[in-house]
Amino acid sequence: PCPHTALGTWHGDPLGKLSPDPTQPWGAGAMMCRATPWCHGPALTPTSAGTTWMQEILTLLFSLGDARPAKTIPNWERAPWLEQIYSREALQNTGSPRLLTTHLPARVPRALGVPVIYVARNPKDVAVSFYHFHHLAKFLPDPSSFDAFLTQFLEGTVHYGSWFDHVKGWLGQRHLLDILYVTYEELHQRLSSFLGCPLAPGTLAALEQHCSFSAMRDNAMANYSLIPAEIMDHSQGRFMRKGVVGDWRSHFSPEQNALFNRRYQEEMGDTELPSQWPM
Ligand code: A3P
């Protein structure tokens, strides 16, 4: 049913290209595929919102639950970043069917005419996760404090720009694109059913196991531990940090929460969201 066996043709430049262009706005972890209908859905994720998780899920769906590609090929090679692909020719070299990842704004995949899966996450948890990621990523400025970082996050002056603009941008395209919206929180509830991929129950169970937080945390092909220390300072923590819903509650003060809620209402008040996060 899902003849995605072209893993050997996937390309990517494993190291040294993980620093996104700081001039780009927030993007989405976008996984795109042109093969069978069930995976024609799009996948977009603002940074720190489930990109890596979706890469893993789609890898397993592509391989019909065969974990070998996910255990032997780094995720940046299985699902290359669109930001790192500089020409149409290079894009074609990624093979077909292809799985790509991006944090680029909505208009890019539209221009490419590809289906997209958009993964969104409660922005409070995004802010916390992204804050911790700044400690790891040597290519991002050291955040002086969570409070200072949160202010930047709300102002949209962090890497990739405004979370609000990014999400609204993609939501605004929903009637024009072949796009599937998924939330990080939904992935926690129902990992495998959201794409409706016709996999056998045993295969689905294997997929769920492989894509669990603990399995991915221990998979060097997914957890970014292969990235050299000049790019990621692994002594500061793990990329696969906690992987839970609602960790913001252990970081936000009541004042920060009130500030965030005000800003969220200003930005997103009239926006029809695919799901309402616990704010
Ligand atoms: P935390 O920092 O809250 O732990 P992205 O890949 O878009 O940068 O998102 C990173 C976040 O996704 C991190 O969140 C990471 O732990 C979480 N994540 C990655 N794989 C996961 C999984 N299998 N289950 C739950 N969370 C996962």
Side-chain angles (χ1 to χ4, degrees), residues 29 45-55 103 121 125 128-130 132-133 184 188 191 210-214 216 224 238-244 247:
T45 305
T47 298
S48 295
T51 316
T52 314
W53 197 0
M54 184 57 74
Q55 285 175 326
H103 288 312
R121 186 182 190 184
D125 281 337
V128 169
S129 179
F130 202 26
H132 286 286
F133 184 66
Y184 177 91
H188 263 277
L191 178 74
H210 179 89
C211 296
S212 68
F213 180 78
S214 58
M216 282 182 61
Y224 288 110
R238 291 173 166 203
F239 174 82
M240 299 288 296
R241 195 180 59 89
K242 284 193 180 174
V244 297
D247 189 37

Side-chain angles (χ1 to χ4, degrees), residues 33 37 40-43 114-117 173-180:
C33 161
H40 266 212
V114 297
V116 177
I117 299 171
Q173 301 281 328
R174 76 163 90 188
H175 303 301
L176 303 170
L177 292 173
D178 177 10
I179 187 162
L180 171 70

Side-chain angles (χ1 to χ4, degrees), residues 4-99:
H4 300 297
T5 52
L7 294 170
T9 67
W10 294 4
H11 297 286
D13 185 357
L15 300 178
K17 287 188 163 185
L18 284 178
S19 173
D21 180 347
T23 62
Q24 297 290 351
W26 273 80
M31 273 48 86
M32 294 165 261
C33 161
R34 305 206 61 127
T36 51
W38 60 264
C39 61
H40 266 212
L44 304 187
T45 305
T47 298
S48 295
T51 316
T52 314
W53 197 0
M54 184 57 74
Q55 285 175 326
E56 206 73 0
I57 294 166
L58 292 183
T59 298
L60 268 285
L61 290 178
F62 266 46
S63 66
L64 298 178
D66 180 351
R68 281 173 298 181
K71 284 185 172 164
T72 55
I73 307 172
N75 52 10
W76 55 83
E77 206 171 327
R78 290 183 251 131
W81 286 81
L82 193 58
E83 287 90 320
Q84 319 286 337
I85 297 172
Y86 300 109
S87 68
R88 184 173 290 272
E89 190 188 19
L91 181 63
Q92 280 160 354
N93 285 342
T94 58
S96 181
R98 62 177 61 84
L99 188 58

